[in-house]
Amino acid sequence: MSAQHPGDIASRLAGVRSRVAAAERAAGRAPGSVRLLLATKTIPLEGVRAALLADAAARADDSAASPVLIGENRVQELVAKAPHLLDLAPEVHLIGPLQSNKVNQALSAASCVESVDSLALAQKLATRCTAAGRVLDVMVQVNVSGEATKHGVHPDDAVRTALDVAGLDGLRLRGLMTVGAHSPDPDRVRSGYRLLRAIRDEVRDSGAPGTASAVELSMGMSGDLELAVAEGATIVRVGTAVFGSRPTP
Ligand SMILES: *Cc1c(COP(=O)(O)O)cnc(C)c1O
C-alpha cells in the first residue's frame, strides 16, 4: 500500500504523461511542448530516484519525450537530495521561497530558481553568479490570484520586475511562474493562467535586453494542469499525481 512503491510511481507518471499529452491535443498544441516538473517536497530520495528511473525507461520507448525536471520548495531539502541524484543528471529547479541567507546553498544545487519574487533577490543572485562566472536561469514568480498566502510579485508590477531581472548580468530570464488560484471555479483558475501568459507576452514583445529567452510559463499542478496547458503552460509542476498524497506535517 506504500505510496512510494516504484511500480506505483511509474504507472502514475505514465498517467500524468497521458494527461499532459491529451491536454496538448485538446489545445491544438504540438506534442511535447509541455515539460513535466516533479514537485518532490517531502518525498524521500528513493521515491525521487524511482520517478527519474521510470522516466528514463519510458523515454527509451519514446525518443520525443523530454526528461522530467525536479523541483524542490525548501533549500534545505534541495541541498540534501540533489547530490544523490547526480548520476541521473536531472535539471533541478528551486520552486519555493528563497531567503537571501540561503542564496549560496541554492546556487550549489539548482540550475534554475523559478521563485524570484523581488528585484532585491534577483540582484543578490546576479552578484553571486557574476562573481562565480556562471549564469543562472531564473523565472519571476507572479501572484496571479492575489491570495495572501501566495508568494510572488503583484501582477501590476510583474512586467517591470521581469524587465529589470532580464537586464541583470549573471542571470538568464527564462519566463514566469505562478501558483494558481486555490478555487473550485475553473474559470477563475484559468483567468489567472491567462494573465500570466499575457504578462509573458508583454515582456517578450518589449524587445528589451534579455527578454528573448523569457519563453517559459511554469503553471499548473496535479489538480489543474489541463487548464494551464490550455492557456499555454510550457512546464507543469506535479507532485501528488505522481507520488501520492504527501504526509501532513
Ligand atoms: C507542491 C507544489 C506543486 C505540486 O502540487 P501538487 O498539487 O502536489 O501537484 C507545484 N508547485 C509548487 C510551487 C508546489 O509547492
Side-chain angles (χ1 to χ4, degrees):
M1 260 303 289
S2 166
Q4 309 302 337
H5 187 280
D8 292 344
I9 289 176
S11 62
R12 290 201 203 95
L13 181 60
V16 170
R17 282 235 187 252
S18 326
R19 278 177 65 190
V20 171
E24 285 170 341
R25 276 195 302 276
R29 299 183 55 194
S33 49
V34 181
R35 285 187 295 164
L36 190 58
L37 176 146
L38 302 181
T40 51
K41 58 176 174 274
T42 79
I43 306 304
L45 190 57
E46 310 80 69
V48 181
R49 290 187 59 90
L52 287 168
L53 290 167
D55 177 59
R59 279 185 295 109
D61 301 331
D62 176 6
S63 54
S66 50
V68 293
L69 314 172
I70 294 293
E72 283 288 351
N73 287 70
R74 293 174 62 239
V75 174
Q76 210 177 328
E77 225 180 313
L78 171 77
V79 297
K81 283 187 241 175
H84 303 286
L85 302 174
L86 290 177
D87 57 321
L88 302 173
E91 184 176 323
V92 178
H93 292 194
L94 181 68
I95 61 172
L98 176 56
Q99 287 157 352
S100 43
N101 62 345
K102 300 261 174 67
V103 159
N104 282 345
Q105 281 182 283
L107 286 172
S108 74
S111 66
C112 177
V113 175
E114 295 196 13
S115 42
V116 171
D117 60 358
S118 72
L119 183 59
L121 173 60
Q123 283 164 334
K124 188 148 274 180
L125 287 165
T127 302
R128 300 286 167 83
C129 287
T130 312
R134 69 179 272 196
V135 175
L136 177 75
D137 285 346
V138 295
M139 299 186 201
V140 170
Q141 181 172 356
V142 183
N143 183 0
V144 293
S145 72
E147 289 165 18
T149 54
K150 300 245 153 82
H151 295 272
V153 301
H154 190 281
D156 292 348
D157 302 328
V159 172
R160 180 73 263 152
T161 303
L163 294 184
D164 288 345
V165 171
L168 294 173
D169 288 338
L171 304 184
R172 182 167 69 138
L173 182 68
R174 297 305 314 279
L176 304 173
M177 184 271 244
T178 197
V179 177
H182 185 70
S183 164
D185 176 4
D187 293 336
R188 189 168 129 67
V189 176
R190 214 174 143 153
S191 67
Y193 292 150
R194 195 174 308 133
L195 175 59
L196 196 73
R197 185 180 57 183
I199 294 167
R200 193 259 335 247
D201 292 347
E202 193 174 335
V203 169
R204 294 203 76 219
D205 292 347
S206 73
T211 56
S213 57
V215 295
E216 307 283 355
L217 289 173
S218 175
M219 59 189 195
M221 313 201 293
S222 293
D224 65 3
L225 67 87
E226 284 82 2
L227 300 174
V229 171
E231 290 299 340
T234 63
I235 296 175
V236 294
R237 306 181 310 271
V238 171
T240 51
V242 169
F243 297 108
S245 50
R246 286 177 289 271
T248 37

